[in-house]
Amino acid sequence: MSERREGVLDDATVEARLKAELPAWRLEDGWIRRTYKTSSWKSTLMVINTVGHLAEAAWHHPDLTASYAWVEVRLMNHAAKGITDKDFALAKKIEEVVSWQPGLEGQGLEGTPTDPRFAYIKYEK
């Protein structure tokens, strides 16, 4: 049996919280992960910069992997050597900002046009 580290959540707790709080995220290989599909390299870089800003402001840094039309965000508390509440807090903020669709809010902002020349994030329906 392994020693329980302070503040580290066990896999069952992580899975339950992901299902309830961050359903598009998954637990894999000791990280919580989310892949954002984008429309182009330009959009991929915009997601990376957004995640970078949020991570630096939070002083909690994810690992990122990117390709032409996707970005994978991986969170695990390096100091604690496991997933903690900090990972969930940052994942929620990333999800809120990157997945924001202002056109659905009816608050005057139209959101990204449907014209493929202006495509950005491939939002999940």
Side-chain angles (χ1 to χ4, degrees):
M1 186 158 109
S2 66
E3 176 184 334
R4 176 131 166 83
R5 293 176 304 280
E6 186 72 31
V8 172
L9 305 171
D10 61 65
D11 286 356
T13 301
V14 171
E15 292 279 9
R17 285 188 64 182
L18 288 174
K19 184 177 180 181
E21 301 170 33
L22 293 160
W25 291 65
R26 66 191 185 281
L27 174 63
E28 186 180 306
D29 298 328
W31 301 81
I32 58 171
R33 301 169 182 247
R34 168 79 150 100
T35 301
Y36 293 96
K37 294 178 182 169
T38 64
S39 297
S40 67
W41 182 242
K42 173 179 66 174
S43 300
T44 295
L45 291 176
M46 290 169 67
V47 171
I48 290 169
N49 285 324
T50 299
V51 171
H53 167 74
L54 296 171
E56 192 63 17
W59 200 247
H60 186 55
H61 304 94
D63 283 20
L64 302 173
T65 303
S67 190
Y68 178 80
W70 58 267
V71 177
E72 183 185 60
V73 180
R74 292 182 308 282
L75 283 161
M76 185 258 300
N77 188 318
H78 297 348
K81 296 181 175 59
I83 298 167
T84 68
D85 288 334
K86 283 184 174 184
D87 301 300
F88 275 89
L90 183 54
K92 286 178 186 177
K93 183 52 72 175
I94 291 168
E95 187 70 11
E96 174 190 337
V97 174
V98 173
S99 297
W100 180 46
Q101 296 182 58
L104 300 179
E105 293 180 346
Q107 300 289 325
L109 296 171
E110 295 111 24
T112 308
T114 55
D115 185 321
R117 293 175 299 161
F118 306 110
Y120 179 50
I121 297 291
K122 293 188 177 179
Y123 298 108
E124 295 177 8
K125 305 285 186 248

